[in-house]
């Protein structure tokens, strides 16, 4: 872990994880994912039971089954994100932990891509005819080269 001076944010690296710090986190992650697994198995069983009842024509049942699918996919996405962030092994991302309000759990772990150019190209530039960037800090020393490179505008 590497603390940034004056912040409530700590950057972490896969190769620098100290066992004393990470073992409790990994134990908590394992317990959480086991609970998610139990919930997912319960959702699967409930879905099977509802389908065996054979009331496919009942609107409320169809709505409930759709809701179950949404919950299932959400839990799978959260599980994958937790694994990805705490593994911290993708060199194309940076990883950090930051404090939150105690009501929100006290800390959050994050990952962000080092370069967003390819993402912006696929998700924005290819889909839009025109994109406008507005900021007082677009240029560095009178040049847009830095920003252009970072945002994949070459």
């Amino acid at each position: 872990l590497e603390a940034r001076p004056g912040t409530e944010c700590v950057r972490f690296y896969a190769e620098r994880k100290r066992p004393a710090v990470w073992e409790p986190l990994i134990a908590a992650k394992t317990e959480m994912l086991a609970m998610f697994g139990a919930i997912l198995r319960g959702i699967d069983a409930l879905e099977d039971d509802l389908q065996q009842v054979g009331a496919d024509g009942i609107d409320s049942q169809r709505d409930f089954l759709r809701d179950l699918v949404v919950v299932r996919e959400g839990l799978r996405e959260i599980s994958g994100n937790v694994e990805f962030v705490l593994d911290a092994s993708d060199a194309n991302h940076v990883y950090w932990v930051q404090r939150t309000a105690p009501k929100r759990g006290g800390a959050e772990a994050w990952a962000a891509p080092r370069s967003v150019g390819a993402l912006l190209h696929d998700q924005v530039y290819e889909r839009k005819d025109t994109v406008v960037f507005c900021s007082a800090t677009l240029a560095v020393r009178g040049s847009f080269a830095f920003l252009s490179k970072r945002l994949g505008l070459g």
Side-chain angles (χ1 to χ4, degrees):
L1 296 173
E2 177 183 294
R4 291 177 43 205
T7 67
E8 295 288 322
C9 183
V10 178
R11 185 169 176 188
F12 61 93
Y13 304 85
E15 65 275 5
R16 295 187 197 166
K17 292 180 186 175
R18 293 189 313 248
V21 173
W22 283 97
E23 286 173 2
L25 288 171
I26 299 305
K29 175 195 80 164
T30 302
E31 185 177 338
M32 182 188 75
L33 294 178
M35 285 188 266
F36 282 5
I39 293 168
L40 289 168
R41 287 187 298 279
I43 288 172
D44 290 342
L46 181 57
E47 186 176 25
D48 290 344
D49 290 346
L50 287 172
Q51 288 176 349
Q52 286 181 9
V53 170
D56 289 333
I58 300 173
D59 288 340
S60 61
Q61 182 182 358
R62 281 196 304 267
D63 292 343
F64 186 67
L65 286 168
R66 275 194 296 270
D67 290 346
L68 286 177
V69 169
V70 170
V71 170
R72 178 189 309 125
E73 293 310 310
L75 285 175
R76 286 184 179 151
E77 183 177 355
I78 291 169
S79 297
N81 289 342
V82 167
E83 289 279 7
F84 179 80
V85 171
L86 293 182
D87 185 46
S89 63
D90 184 340
N92 295 317
H93 285 75
V94 292
Y95 305 90
W96 71 94
V97 176
Q98 66 189 39
R99 283 192 197 274
T100 63
K103 287 190 236 176
R104 295 190 58 214
E108 295 175 338
W110 293 86
R114 289 182 185 270
S115 175
V116 296
L119 291 169
L120 287 171
H121 181 269
D122 294 344
Q123 296 179 16
V124 178
Y125 308 148
E126 284 290 312
R127 298 177 185 192
K128 301 291 180 189
D129 293 329
T130 304
V131 178
V132 176
F133 293 97
C134 298
S135 173
T137 57
L138 291 176
V140 176
R141 295 187 189 131
S143 171
F144 293 100
F146 176 79
L147 180 74
S148 180
K149 181 179 178 189
R150 295 293 297 245
L151 297 180
L153 296 172

